[in-house]
Amino acid sequence: MKWVGGKRQLLPQLRPFYPRAFGRYIEPFFGSGAVFFDLHSAGLLEGHDVLLVDSNPDLIGCYETVRDAPDDVAAVLDRLAAAHARDGRAHYYEVRDQRFNPLRDERRGADGRIAYTPELAAMLIYLNRTGFNGLFRVNASGAFNVPAGRYERPKILDRERLMRVAGALRDPRVRLELGSFERAFEAASAGDFLYIDPPYAPVSETANFTSYTARRFDRRDQEALQRAIVLLARRGCQVLLSNSTAKEIAALYDANAEASGAGLRALRVPARRAINSNGAGRGAVEEYVITNIRREAGAP
Protein backbone atom coordinates (compact mmCIF):
# COMPACT_ATOMS: atom_id res chain seq x y z
CA MET A 1 0.00 0.00 0.00
CA LYS A 2 1.08 3.55 -0.69
CA TRP A 3 0.36 5.55 2.44
CA VAL A 4 0.80 9.19 3.40
CA GLY A 5 3.82 9.24 5.69
CA GLY A 6 4.82 5.69 4.73
CA LYS A 7 8.31 5.08 6.08
CA ARG A 8 10.04 3.21 3.25
CA GLN A 9 12.22 6.21 2.43
CA LEU A 10 13.07 6.75 6.13
CA LEU A 11 14.19 3.15 6.78
CA PRO A 12 17.93 3.93 6.52
CA GLN A 13 17.47 6.46 9.35
CA LEU A 14 15.44 4.05 11.48
CA ARG A 15 17.45 0.82 11.11
CA PRO A 16 20.32 1.92 13.38
CA PHE A 17 17.78 2.03 16.23
CA TYR A 18 16.37 -1.47 15.79
CA PRO A 19 17.26 -3.08 19.13
CA ARG A 20 19.29 -6.28 19.19
CA ALA A 21 17.14 -7.83 21.91
CA PHE A 22 13.48 -7.20 22.67
CA GLY A 23 10.28 -8.94 23.73
CA ARG A 24 7.27 -8.30 21.55
CA TYR A 25 7.18 -6.00 18.57
CA ILE A 26 4.23 -3.60 18.65
CA GLU A 27 3.25 -1.11 15.95
CA PRO A 28 0.22 1.01 16.95
CA PHE A 29 -0.10 3.08 13.73
CA PHE A 30 0.42 0.31 11.19
CA GLY A 31 -0.29 2.21 7.95
CA SER A 32 1.85 0.86 5.12
CA GLY A 33 3.74 -1.33 7.60
CA ALA A 34 7.15 -0.43 6.14
CA VAL A 35 9.03 -1.01 9.41
CA PHE A 36 7.23 -4.28 10.18
CA PHE A 37 7.91 -5.66 6.70
CA ASP A 38 11.53 -4.47 6.90
CA LEU A 39 12.04 -6.22 10.24
CA HIS A 40 10.26 -9.34 8.99
CA SER A 41 12.24 -9.59 5.76
CA ALA A 42 15.51 -9.22 7.72
CA GLY A 43 14.49 -12.09 10.03
CA LEU A 44 14.54 -9.82 13.07
CA LEU A 45 11.05 -10.83 14.20
CA GLU A 46 11.73 -14.56 14.34
CA GLY A 47 10.71 -15.88 17.74
CA HIS A 48 8.84 -12.70 18.66
CA ASP A 49 5.13 -12.09 19.11
CA VAL A 50 3.93 -9.16 16.99
CA LEU A 51 0.95 -6.86 17.50
CA LEU A 52 -0.04 -4.59 14.59
CA VAL A 53 -2.77 -2.06 15.38
CA ASP A 54 -4.47 0.64 13.34
CA SER A 55 -7.66 2.65 13.84
CA ASN A 56 -8.52 2.55 10.13
CA PRO A 57 -11.07 -0.25 9.54
CA ASP A 58 -10.40 -0.29 5.79
CA LEU A 59 -6.70 -0.81 6.28
CA ILE A 60 -7.12 -3.63 8.81
CA GLY A 61 -9.90 -5.25 6.76
CA CYS A 62 -7.76 -5.14 3.63
CA TYR A 63 -4.68 -6.62 5.32
CA GLU A 64 -6.75 -9.40 6.92
CA THR A 65 -8.23 -10.31 3.55
CA VAL A 66 -4.87 -10.24 1.77
CA ARG A 67 -3.55 -12.50 4.52
CA ASP A 68 -6.43 -14.98 4.27
CA ALA A 69 -7.27 -14.94 0.54
CA PRO A 70 -4.39 -13.50 -1.51
CA ASP A 71 -5.21 -15.49 -4.66
CA ASP A 72 -8.80 -14.22 -4.66
CA VAL A 73 -7.63 -10.63 -4.16
CA ALA A 74 -5.13 -11.01 -7.01
CA ALA A 75 -7.83 -12.37 -9.36
CA VAL A 76 -10.04 -9.32 -8.77
CA LEU A 77 -7.07 -6.98 -9.17
CA ASP A 78 -6.33 -8.57 -12.55
CA ARG A 79 -9.83 -7.66 -13.73
CA LEU A 80 -9.61 -4.14 -12.31
CA ALA A 81 -6.25 -3.58 -14.02
CA ALA A 82 -7.65 -4.73 -17.37
CA ALA A 83 -10.63 -2.38 -17.08
CA HIS A 84 -8.41 0.50 -16.00
CA ALA A 85 -6.23 0.02 -19.09
CA ARG A 86 -9.29 0.64 -21.29
CA ASP A 87 -10.53 3.86 -19.65
CA GLY A 88 -8.66 4.65 -16.45
CA ARG A 89 -10.26 7.86 -15.23
CA ALA A 90 -13.87 6.83 -15.86
CA HIS A 91 -13.19 3.39 -14.39
CA TYR A 92 -11.62 4.90 -11.26
CA TYR A 93 -14.72 6.98 -10.45
CA GLU A 94 -17.08 4.13 -11.29
CA VAL A 95 -15.23 1.85 -8.86
CA ARG A 96 -14.96 4.52 -6.16
CA ASP A 97 -18.52 5.82 -6.23
CA GLN A 98 -20.65 2.96 -7.55
CA ARG A 99 -18.91 -0.03 -6.04
CA PHE A 100 -16.35 0.66 -3.31
CA ASN A 101 -18.15 3.19 -1.11
CA PRO A 102 -21.58 1.47 -1.31
CA LEU A 103 -20.10 -1.93 -0.48
CA ARG A 104 -18.12 -0.46 2.44
CA ASP A 105 -21.33 1.01 3.85
CA GLU A 106 -23.19 -2.24 3.36
CA ARG A 107 -20.57 -4.28 5.21
CA ARG A 108 -19.85 -1.81 8.02
CA GLY A 109 -20.81 -3.11 11.46
CA ALA A 110 -22.12 -1.20 14.45
CA ASP A 111 -18.63 -1.33 15.98
CA GLY A 112 -17.13 0.45 12.96
CA ARG A 113 -15.38 -2.64 11.63
CA ILE A 114 -15.88 -3.34 7.91
CA ALA A 115 -16.26 -7.01 6.93
CA TYR A 116 -13.87 -6.93 3.99
CA THR A 117 -14.20 -9.31 1.05
CA PRO A 118 -11.58 -10.05 -1.64
CA GLU A 119 -13.50 -7.67 -3.91
CA LEU A 120 -13.34 -4.84 -1.38
CA ALA A 121 -9.65 -5.45 -0.66
CA ALA A 122 -8.81 -5.45 -4.37
CA MET A 123 -10.78 -2.25 -4.93
CA LEU A 124 -8.96 -0.50 -2.07
CA ILE A 125 -5.58 -1.55 -3.47
CA TYR A 126 -6.66 -0.45 -6.96
CA LEU A 127 -7.83 2.97 -5.71
CA ASN A 128 -4.66 3.31 -3.66
CA ARG A 129 -2.46 2.59 -6.69
CA THR A 130 -4.36 4.87 -9.09
CA GLY A 131 -5.72 7.67 -6.86
CA PHE A 132 -4.08 11.05 -6.34
CA ASN A 133 -0.70 10.53 -4.63
CA GLY A 134 -1.89 7.23 -3.16
CA LEU A 135 -3.88 9.10 -0.52
CA PHE A 136 -6.43 7.52 1.74
CA ARG A 137 -8.87 10.26 2.69
CA VAL A 138 -12.48 10.22 3.83
CA ASN A 139 -15.05 12.98 4.23
CA ALA A 140 -17.07 13.76 7.34
CA SER A 141 -19.52 11.00 6.41
CA GLY A 142 -16.72 8.47 6.14
CA ALA A 143 -16.86 8.13 2.34
CA PHE A 144 -13.58 7.66 0.48
CA ASN A 145 -13.22 10.78 -1.68
CA VAL A 146 -9.71 10.84 -3.16
CA PRO A 147 -9.71 12.02 -6.81
CA ALA A 148 -8.12 10.05 -9.63
CA GLY A 149 -4.38 10.37 -10.07
CA ARG A 150 -2.49 11.00 -13.27
CA TYR A 151 -0.46 7.90 -13.96
CA GLU A 152 0.28 6.63 -17.43
CA ARG A 153 0.97 3.00 -16.50
CA PRO A 154 0.27 2.41 -12.82
CA LYS A 155 1.34 -0.97 -11.41
CA ILE A 156 -1.99 -2.14 -10.04
CA LEU A 157 -1.10 -5.77 -9.32
CA ASP A 158 2.31 -6.84 -8.05
CA ARG A 159 1.51 -10.50 -7.43
CA GLU A 160 4.91 -11.36 -5.95
CA ARG A 161 4.72 -8.54 -3.41
CA LEU A 162 1.10 -9.38 -2.58
CA MET A 163 2.10 -12.95 -1.75
CA ARG A 164 5.05 -11.80 0.36
CA VAL A 165 2.75 -9.53 2.36
CA ALA A 166 0.26 -12.36 2.83
CA GLY A 167 3.04 -14.68 3.99
CA ALA A 168 4.36 -12.19 6.54
CA LEU A 169 0.90 -11.57 7.98
CA ARG A 170 0.10 -15.31 8.12
CA ASP A 171 2.89 -15.88 10.62
CA PRO A 172 1.06 -17.40 13.63
CA ARG A 173 2.83 -15.01 16.00
CA VAL A 174 1.56 -11.92 14.11
CA ARG A 175 -1.74 -10.41 15.20
CA LEU A 176 -3.65 -7.65 13.40
CA GLU A 177 -6.05 -5.60 15.46
CA LEU A 178 -8.43 -2.70 14.82
CA GLY A 179 -8.03 -0.17 17.61
CA SER A 180 -6.45 3.00 18.96
CA PHE A 181 -2.83 3.56 19.92
CA GLU A 182 -3.95 3.46 23.57
CA ARG A 183 -5.01 -0.17 23.10
CA ALA A 184 -1.57 -1.08 21.77
CA PHE A 185 0.16 0.77 24.60
CA GLU A 186 -1.89 -1.06 27.21
CA ALA A 187 -0.48 -4.34 25.89
CA ALA A 188 3.17 -3.20 26.07
CA SER A 189 5.47 -4.29 28.85
CA ALA A 190 9.13 -3.81 29.79
CA GLY A 191 11.51 -4.90 27.03
CA ASP A 192 8.97 -4.68 24.21
CA PHE A 193 9.96 -2.75 21.08
CA LEU A 194 7.43 -0.25 19.72
CA TYR A 195 7.69 1.67 16.47
CA ILE A 196 5.24 4.57 16.61
CA ASP A 197 4.34 6.47 13.45
CA PRO A 198 1.37 8.76 14.15
CA PRO A 199 -0.18 11.17 11.65
CA TYR A 200 2.41 13.93 11.54
CA ALA A 201 1.79 17.33 13.06
CA PRO A 202 1.60 19.79 10.13
CA VAL A 203 4.59 22.07 9.72
CA SER A 204 2.29 24.64 8.08
CA GLU A 205 -1.41 25.20 7.50
CA THR A 206 -1.14 24.02 3.89
CA ALA A 207 0.60 20.82 4.99
CA ASN A 208 -2.28 19.79 7.24
CA PHE A 209 -3.42 16.28 6.38
CA THR A 210 -4.62 14.07 9.24
CA SER A 211 -7.95 12.68 7.99
CA TYR A 212 -7.00 9.03 7.55
CA THR A 213 -10.34 8.36 9.21
CA ALA A 214 -13.32 10.68 9.63
CA ARG A 215 -11.82 11.85 12.96
CA ARG A 216 -8.68 13.95 12.70
CA PHE A 217 -5.52 13.46 14.76
CA ASP A 218 -5.06 16.88 16.31
CA ARG A 219 -2.87 18.72 18.83
CA ARG A 220 -4.63 17.14 21.79
CA ASP A 221 -3.95 13.70 20.35
CA GLN A 222 -0.27 14.56 19.92
CA GLU A 223 -0.14 15.68 23.55
CA ALA A 224 -1.89 12.51 24.74
CA LEU A 225 0.51 10.45 22.64
CA GLN A 226 3.52 12.18 24.18
CA ARG A 227 2.27 11.48 27.71
CA ALA A 228 1.75 7.83 26.81
CA ILE A 229 5.20 7.51 25.23
CA VAL A 230 6.83 8.98 28.33
CA LEU A 231 5.01 6.35 30.41
CA LEU A 232 6.13 3.59 28.02
CA ALA A 233 9.75 4.70 28.32
CA ARG A 234 9.51 4.75 32.09
CA ARG A 235 7.93 1.29 31.94
CA GLY A 236 11.08 -0.01 30.29
CA CYS A 237 9.75 -0.30 26.74
CA GLN A 238 12.06 0.36 23.81
CA VAL A 239 10.44 3.20 21.90
CA LEU A 240 11.11 4.49 18.39
CA LEU A 241 8.91 7.35 17.21
CA SER A 242 8.89 9.44 14.03
CA ASN A 243 7.16 12.78 13.56
CA SER A 244 7.52 16.11 11.83
CA THR A 245 9.67 18.94 13.14
CA ALA A 246 6.63 21.14 13.75
CA LYS A 247 6.96 23.53 16.68
CA GLU A 248 4.41 21.61 18.74
CA ILE A 249 6.44 18.39 18.37
CA ALA A 250 9.66 20.19 19.29
CA ALA A 251 7.94 21.47 22.43
CA LEU A 252 6.73 17.99 23.34
CA TYR A 253 10.01 16.13 22.84
CA ASP A 254 13.06 18.22 21.98
CA ALA A 255 13.38 20.55 24.96
CA ASN A 256 10.87 18.83 27.22
CA ALA A 257 11.86 17.88 30.76
CA GLU A 258 9.36 15.00 31.01
CA ALA A 259 10.59 13.44 27.77
CA SER A 260 14.30 13.84 28.53
CA GLY A 261 13.74 12.62 32.10
CA ALA A 262 12.29 9.41 30.66
CA GLY A 263 15.42 8.92 28.54
CA LEU A 264 13.92 10.07 25.23
CA ARG A 265 16.12 11.85 22.71
CA ALA A 266 14.80 13.87 19.75
CA LEU A 267 17.06 13.60 16.71
CA ARG A 268 16.62 15.46 13.44
CA VAL A 269 17.19 13.30 10.37
CA PRO A 270 16.95 14.00 6.62
CA ALA A 271 13.83 12.79 4.83
CA ARG A 272 11.80 13.58 1.76
CA ARG A 273 8.33 15.11 1.61
CA ALA A 274 6.29 13.16 -0.96
CA ILE A 275 2.86 14.77 -0.45
CA ASN A 276 2.32 18.43 -1.21
CA SER A 277 -0.28 20.19 -3.35
CA ASN A 278 2.58 22.20 -4.82
CA GLY A 279 5.23 20.09 -6.50
CA ALA A 280 7.87 22.64 -5.56
CA GLY A 281 7.03 21.95 -1.90
CA ARG A 282 8.16 18.34 -2.18
CA GLY A 283 11.73 17.32 -1.59
CA ALA A 284 14.31 17.23 1.20
CA VAL A 285 13.09 18.02 4.71
CA GLU A 286 14.01 17.11 8.27
CA GLU A 287 11.94 14.86 10.50
CA TYR A 288 12.26 13.80 14.11
CA VAL A 289 13.33 10.35 15.22
CA ILE A 290 12.55 10.21 18.93
CA THR A 291 13.82 7.25 20.91
CA ASN A 292 15.26 5.83 24.10
CA ILE A 293 17.16 3.15 22.12
CA ARG A 294 20.92 3.45 21.79
CA ARG A 295 22.10 3.73 18.19
CA GLU A 296 24.03 0.68 17.04
CA ALA A 297 27.79 1.21 17.23
CA GLY A 298 29.21 2.15 13.84
CA ALA A 299 25.81 3.03 12.43
CA PRO A 300 25.66 6.18 10.27
Side-chain angles (χ1 to χ4, degrees), residues 5 7 10 14 25-30 35 53 181-182 184-185 188 192-200 217 221-222 225-226 228-230 232-233 237-244 253 264 288-293:
K7 288 301 170 292
L10 198 63
L14 297 174
Y25 174 67
I26 301 174
E27 193 167 332
F29 297 91
F30 188 43
V35 171
V53 178
F181 70 83
E182 291 95 344
F185 289 177
D192 289 347
F193 170 34
L194 294 93
Y195 173 61
I196 302 160
D197 181 30
Y200 277 19
F217 199 89
D221 294 306
Q222 296 285 359
L225 178 63
Q226 188 262 13
I229 288 172
V230 167
L232 287 172
C237 296
Q238 302 183 80
V239 175
L240 182 60
L241 165 76
S242 50
N243 212 319
S244 74
Y253 296 100
L264 293 165
Y288 273 127
V289 169
I290 297 157
T291 187
N292 63 347
I293 303 169

Side-chain angles (χ1 to χ4, degrees), residues 89 93 118 121 137 154 176 181 192 269:
R89 188 175 181 83
Y93 287 111
R137 185 185 66 192
L176 281 165
F181 70 83
D192 289 347
V269 300

Side-chain angles (χ1 to χ4, degrees), residues 100-173:
F100 181 65
N101 277 324
L103 189 55
R104 288 171 72 238
D105 288 342
E106 178 184 317
R107 300 191 64 83
R108 190 189 306 273
D111 60 354
R113 178 177 285 274
I114 302 172
Y116 254 61
T117 63
E119 183 183 12
L120 259 181
M123 285 192 287
L124 177 59
I125 295 168
Y126 163 72
L127 294 170
N128 176 259
R129 303 303 297 177
T130 58
F132 178 75
N133 276 342
L135 293 175
F136 183 95
R137 185 185 66 192
V138 295
N139 61 23
S141 300
F144 180 83
N145 66 352
V146 175
R150 296 180 179 179
Y151 308 105
E152 289 187 10
R153 288 182 294 275
K155 192 169 184 65
I156 293 168
L157 172 59
D158 185 334
R159 188 179 295 270
E160 182 182 347
R161 179 173 292 180
L162 188 76
M163 296 305 165
R164 289 203 307 268
V165 168
L169 295 175
R170 271 200 304 270
D171 185 317
R173 302 191 74 160

